[in-house]
């Protein structure tokens, strides 16, 4: 008999669950039971030996439990804290120039094309499908300056069930490609329209985010107005900061009245506890302290930092300053839309800093796994809702099968004996891809494999 009337559970899984906590970068929970409510919340995560008690408390029968095979495991969904959806059009190409030249030659001309709504629909549908297939359950998207296309990205993201922030890009300065900008007044008006339309839609898991492209693309007046829009509507904010040395010098020249790059955003109310800034490779200790004091976050984009030769972010230094940090793919400066690539590049980048005696140690694979999940959720202000399998959070999860058909991982007899080994987990994180992701869940709902309706 049930202890008390309980709403039915949507899912009950038995098997291995891998996640992070703030005290343990990777916790491997073998032979556990996890229950998910109809509303997508995690109701329990306990050892399977507690099945009888849990069945009474939550009113389920043994036949309702789905048992994972011995080599399968669940991990939290990946959180991409920085990705440019329109740039997916040329992802995997055109990474042969430094940032400012790259923007002029490839990025701005491509983004200009998104005034064509059919073109936008094709690219945005593909990027949402691809990121979900690769395990990105939460994405923080830059769109373009085009309001209607940006609203379409939000609609597509919602349709596929991905959790997301979507930002209409704001630019009132662009001497390099002058047709790709708005006037200050027009961009303020269109940003307000974008925010208003998004809030009216009231998507359950897709929210607007105020998105000044970066300080070089925005006049001082405009930055202040965007800070006011974010404050008035209590919105998240995203932008770029200190990606390259040339960019920093250009910001000093354009915004000469400010102490440093961080000060430009801070004085215009754009550095808050709802802000995530991409890159930050060259931030000073003083600037990192301001980030900590404001509660602002950094999106670490190691692929892009390396591919465009922008610089290295010293993640250990960021953590020492107690600044929130997650990982981002930064498509298409980062050539891969997979967060697993971001994990691998973050480890390699950290190793390079240790090799060059800048740090005395490297980030471990487990620590970077935490950045890609729990760290990313904290960077986006979602750590009370997602990021690990803590009871009460929403079930954003990936079902991983290292032995999937056509898996890129070869397992050997020593790997497969008994419960899932640390070696299998490491092999998956270093070698696995979307072929190993059997199912993707967002808020308890299975979103991959895709349903016929999308």
């Amino acid at each position: 008999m049930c202890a008390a009337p309980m709403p039915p559970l949507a899912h009950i899984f038995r098997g291995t669950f891998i996640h992070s906590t703030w005290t343990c970068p990777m916790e491997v929970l073998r032979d556990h039971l996890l229950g998910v409510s109809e509303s997508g919340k995690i109701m329990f995560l306990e050892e399977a030996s507690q099945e009888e008690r849990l069945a009474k408390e939550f009113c389920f029968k043994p036949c309702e439990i789905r048992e994972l095979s011995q080599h399968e495991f669940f991990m939290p969904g990946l959180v991409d804290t920085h990705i440019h959806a329109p740039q997916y059009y040329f992802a995997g190409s055109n990474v042969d120039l430094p940032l400012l030249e790259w923007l002029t030659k490839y990025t701005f001309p491509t983004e200009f094309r998104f005034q064509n709504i059919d073109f936008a629909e094709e690219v945005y549908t593909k990027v949402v499908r691809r990121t979900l297939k690769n395990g990105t359950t939460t994405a923080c998207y830059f769109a373009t300056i085009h309001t209607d296309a940006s609203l379409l990205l939000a609609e597509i993201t919602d349709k596929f069930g991905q959790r997301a922030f979507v930002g209409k890009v704001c630019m009132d300065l662009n001497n390099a490609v002058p047709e790709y900008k708005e006037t200050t007044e027009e961009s303020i008006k269109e940003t307000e329209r974008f925010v208003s339309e998004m809030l009216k839609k009231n998507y359950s898991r897709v929210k607007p985010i105020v998105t000044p492209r970066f300080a070089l693309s925005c006049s001082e007046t405009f930055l202040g107005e965007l800070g006011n829009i974010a404050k008035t509507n209590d919105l998240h904010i995203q932008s770029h900061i200190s990606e390259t040395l040339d960019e920093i010098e250009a910001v000093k020249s354009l915004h000469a009245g400010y102490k440093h790059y961080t000060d430009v955003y801070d004085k215009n109310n754009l550095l808050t506890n709802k802000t995530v800034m991409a890159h930050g490779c060259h931030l000073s200790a003083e600037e990192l302290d301001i980030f900590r004091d404001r509660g602002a976050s950094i999106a670490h984009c190691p692929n892009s930092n390396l591919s465009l030769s922008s610089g290295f972010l010293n993640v250990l230094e960021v953590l020492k300053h107690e600044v929130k940090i997650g990982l981002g793919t930064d498509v298409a400066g980062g050539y891969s839309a997979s967060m697993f690539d971001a994990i691998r590049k973050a480890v390699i980048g950290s190793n390079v800093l240790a090799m060059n005696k800048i740090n005395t140690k490297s980030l471990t694979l487990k620590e970077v796994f935490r950045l890609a999940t729990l760290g990313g959720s904290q960077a986006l202000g979602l750590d009370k809702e997602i990021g690990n399998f803590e009871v009460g959070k929403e079930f954003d999860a990936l079902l991983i099968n290292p032995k999937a058909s056509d898996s890129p991982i070869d397992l050997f007899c020593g790997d497969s004996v008994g419960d899932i080994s640390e070696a299998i987990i490491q092999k998956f994180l270093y070698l696995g891809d979307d072929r190993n992701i059997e199912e993707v869940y967002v808020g308890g709902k299975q979103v991959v494999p895709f349903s016929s309706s999308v």
Side-chain angles (χ1 to χ4, degrees):
M1 290 290 291
C2 293
M6 292 286 286
L9 295 169
H11 307 286
I12 309 150
F13 299 107
R14 178 175 179 170
T16 298
F17 300 86
I18 297 166
H19 72 163
S20 301
T21 67
W22 293 119
T23 55
C24 179
M26 182 185 287
E27 189 172 51
V28 182
L29 304 171
R30 296 180 173 88
D31 198 21
H32 273 58
L33 283 166
L34 183 144
V36 183
S37 71
E38 293 280 3
S39 64
K41 293 258 196 314
I42 299 168
M43 301 302 291
F44 57 82
L45 176 59
E46 299 195 32
E47 292 181 2
S49 60
Q50 300 301 306
E51 180 185 329
E52 190 176 335
R53 177 181 62 78
L54 290 168
K56 281 181 185 170
E57 187 177 344
F58 292 95
C59 301
F60 64 84
K61 303 184 183 76
C63 63
E64 296 174 65
I65 299 171
R66 176 178 167 187
E67 295 210 22
L68 306 189
S69 64
Q70 203 168 37
H71 50 272
E72 291 177 321
F73 61 88
F74 269 112
M75 63 171 278
L78 296 161
V79 181
D80 189 342
T81 60
H82 184 70
I83 175 170
H84 292 264
Q87 294 175 23
Y88 185 66
Y89 177 74
F90 64 92
S93 65
N94 302 339
V95 283
D96 57 339
L97 293 172
L99 174 68
L100 299 181
E101 294 171 52
W102 177 83
L103 288 169
T104 300
K105 183 171 181 182
Y106 304 122
T107 304
F108 294 154
T110 297
E111 292 190 11
F112 181 66
R113 295 179 61 188
F114 280 73
Q115 61 192 314
N116 180 326
I117 205 78
D118 293 330
F119 178 66
E121 182 172 20
E122 179 190 6
V123 178
Y124 288 160
T125 299
K126 286 182 175 175
V127 71
V128 172
R129 287 179 64 96
R130 180 63 61 187
T131 53
L132 273 173
K133 275 185 71 173
N134 278 280
T136 299
T137 52
T138 300
C140 196
Y141 287 117
F142 273 62
T144 65
I145 67 172
H146 310 103
T147 304
D148 291 334
S150 302
L151 290 167
L152 178 62
L153 173 58
E155 183 184 323
I156 290 167
T157 308
D158 178 69
K159 180 177 75 171
F160 279 93
Q162 191 174 48
R163 191 184 300 275
F165 290 99
V166 174
K168 174 214 169 301
V169 171
C170 299
M171 301 168 61
D172 67 343
L173 301 176
N174 189 355
N175 292 331
V177 184
E179 64 271 23
Y180 186 57
K181 67 177 179 181
E182 298 171 293
T183 66
T184 308
E185 296 73 20
E186 183 185 13
S187 198
I188 291 168
K189 183 180 163 191
E190 286 300 298
T191 300
E192 288 174 336
R193 179 165 81 88
F194 173 76
V195 169
S196 173
E197 291 288 326
M198 284 286 292
L199 295 177
K200 265 190 238 166
K201 292 281 187 185
N202 197 28
Y203 296 123
S204 59
R205 296 184 177 90
V206 183
K207 305 299 177 190
I209 183 167
V210 174
T211 306
R213 183 176 211 106
F214 64 158
L216 286 182
S217 294
C218 299
S219 65
E220 182 178 29
T221 301
F222 191 25
L223 289 170
E225 289 292 338
L226 291 174
N228 291 338
I229 290 170
K231 190 174 183 179
T232 301
N233 295 281
D234 193 26
L235 297 176
H236 282 71
I237 299 160
Q238 64 177 344
S239 193
H240 302 83
I241 194 167
S242 296
E243 186 172 353
T244 74
L245 296 174
D246 287 346
E247 169 208 8
I248 294 167
E249 288 305 309
V251 169
K252 272 185 197 168
S253 175
L254 177 64
H255 297 288
Y258 293 88
K259 190 173 182 183
H260 40 57
Y261 205 155
T262 298
D263 197 40
V264 178
Y265 292 123
D266 190 36
K267 291 287 197 304
N268 288 290
N269 295 318
L270 289 166
L271 205 69
T272 74
N273 63 359
K274 289 190 164 186
T275 296
V276 58
M277 288 282 171
H279 303 290
C281 300
H282 309 285
L283 290 170
S284 66
E286 179 185 356
E287 289 175 284
L288 287 172
D289 285 341
I290 295 170
F291 265 73
R292 180 197 62 224
D293 293 345
R294 302 294 180 267
S297 306
I298 293 174
H300 176 34
C301 307
N303 185 314
S304 175
N305 293 343
L306 293 164
S307 295
L308 300 184
S309 303
S310 300
F312 289 94
L313 176 65
N314 190 335
V315 176
L316 289 171
E317 191 68 16
V318 173
L319 293 170
K320 191 170 90 177
H321 282 264
E322 299 178 347
V323 175
K324 297 179 291 188
I325 183 169
L327 292 187
T329 58
D330 193 24
V331 166
Y335 55 75
S336 173
S338 170
M339 282 292 291
F340 292 109
D341 172 86
I343 288 171
R344 295 157 196 166
K345 296 295 191 302
V347 173
I348 291 168
S350 184
N351 288 345
V352 171
L353 292 177
M355 285 160 55
N356 285 281
K357 310 300 181 192
I358 292 163
N359 291 332
T360 56
K361 63 175 184 175
S362 297
L363 287 166
T364 66
L365 181 62
K366 291 178 180 181
E367 288 169 332
V368 176
F369 171 82
R370 178 162 60 190
L371 290 181
T373 53
L374 187 58
S377 72
Q378 186 191 46
L380 297 182
L382 296 173
D383 50 313
K384 297 283 190 288
E385 299 167 48
I386 59 165
N388 60 11
F389 295 135
E390 189 180 314
V391 170
K393 291 189 179 183
E394 294 197 32
F395 186 65
D396 286 15
L398 316 180
L399 178 60
I400 305 302
N401 182 1
K403 284 181 145 182
S405 174
D406 199 28
S407 170
I409 309 165
D410 285 318
L411 298 179
F412 299 92
C413 54
D415 294 326
S416 315
V417 174
D419 289 326
I420 289 171
S421 67
E422 295 271 335
I424 289 180
I425 297 166
Q426 288 179 33
K427 284 186 177 187
F428 167 69
L429 291 175
Y430 276 124
L431 300 172
D433 61 24
D434 59 300
R435 288 169 288 184
N436 299 108
I437 302 173
E438 300 243 299
E439 295 168 5
V440 177
Y441 294 82
V442 178
K445 180 186 174 188
Q446 187 180 316
V447 295
V448 175
F450 300 115
S451 74
S452 57
S453 62
V454 295

